[in-house]
Amino acid sequence: MNNPMHSNWGSACSDSDWGFGNDSRFDRHSKFKKPCKVCKSHDESACNCNFKAAARQLAAPLNSDCVLVNSVVGSKSVQKVAEATLPFTAFTPAIPAGSTIVSVAVVPNLAGVTRNTTIIRDKVVNIGLIPVAITVTYTAPGTTTPVLTATLSTSLPFQEHTDFPGACPEDMVVEPPLVVEGIFAQPGVPVIGTTGLVSTNAILVKIVLRTTITVTRQVIVDSHGGICDVNERRCETTTTPTTNTLPAP
């Protein structure tokens, strides 16, 4: 019969604890059993098993004293403008033509901003949308009271291309969250109606945004401080202009 305290890792107790040595717990001259010293116990009387951890396999040593780092091509503060001309009919309820606009409140949702950023030679192109909730108070044509309210939830598109000498298509862009610098609303701007006629029954909404654009590039630095590009041909010009179809927000 196999010893139940034996395993592939060895015995939990010494042979003497099982009655195979002079220190057997079964004393031939006594009918009483000696206490078994069980290995791994927290008792001070436990036997010393001298367990050893398996040797760790060290990773292969590096064969180069060079490091890969992100080098800053440039960093600058930029502004972006989100705007749209919204006809009276886009609001709920629709604002009657010829109404007098009393106030326009625009609340941007910065947490919902979507941005698509790409780099072409010496330029960073940024296109996106910022969600807004717009509340308009107005009076109907020919009256001064009552003051009515209309609302609209939509997104204003913004775009900007920033000159960045030295930037190349394979570089990377780091851009922190946008900050709103100003919100503007201008009623009475011209708009083309559904019949093709131009009227002033519309409101221009504009939001000025600010952020910082930082362009970085992966380079290799040797132990002497020498720098070389990971891709030496990243800035080579092509005969075909870059065309990008950006994903929808």
Side-chain angles (χ1 to χ4, degrees), residues 54-110:
R56 295 181 181 179
Q57 184 175 0
L58 299 177
L62 298 176
N63 59 3
S64 171
D65 55 2
C66 295
V67 293
L68 183 66
V69 299
N70 285 331
S71 177
V72 177
V73 177
S75 182
K76 61 175 61 178
S77 179
V78 298
Q79 287 182 323
K80 306 176 190 296
V81 176
E83 67 175 72
T85 299
L86 308 170
F88 285 179
T89 53
F91 291 84
T92 303
I95 301 173
S99 293
T100 300
I101 304 301
V102 177
S103 66
V104 180
V106 181
V107 180
N109 176 14
L110 292 177

Side-chain angles (χ1 to χ4, degrees), residues 111-213:
V113 171
T114 57
R115 287 182 288 189
N116 294 310
T117 304
T118 189
I119 301 177
I120 60 177
R121 181 73 181 265
D122 297 329
K123 292 183 186 296
V124 175
V125 180
N126 191 281
I127 299 174
L129 295 171
I130 177 170
V132 293
I134 304 173
T135 301
V136 177
T137 57
Y138 65 95
T139 57
T143 67
T144 57
T145 58
V147 177
L148 304 174
T149 301
T151 60
L152 173 64
S153 294
T154 187
S155 293
L156 304 182
F158 64 85
Q159 63 82 29
E160 188 64 45
H161 58 277
T162 305
D163 288 331
F164 239 102
C168 299
E170 290 190 11
D171 292 335
M172 297 168 288
V173 178
V174 179
E175 190 174 353
L178 294 168
V179 176
V180 175
E181 285 198 320
I183 300 175
F184 307 89
Q186 175 66 64
V189 296
V191 65
I192 299 176
T194 55
T195 60
L197 298 178
V198 177
S199 71
T200 57
N201 298 312
I203 302 172
L204 172 65
V205 177
K206 181 190 297 284
I207 299 178
V208 179
L209 305 164
R210 175 176 50 82
T211 188
T212 301
I213 293 178

Side-chain angles (χ1 to χ4, degrees), residues 218-230:
Q218 285 192 324
V219 296
I220 297 172
V221 181
D222 62 25
S223 59
H224 303 290
I227 298 176
C228 60
D229 197 342
V230 173

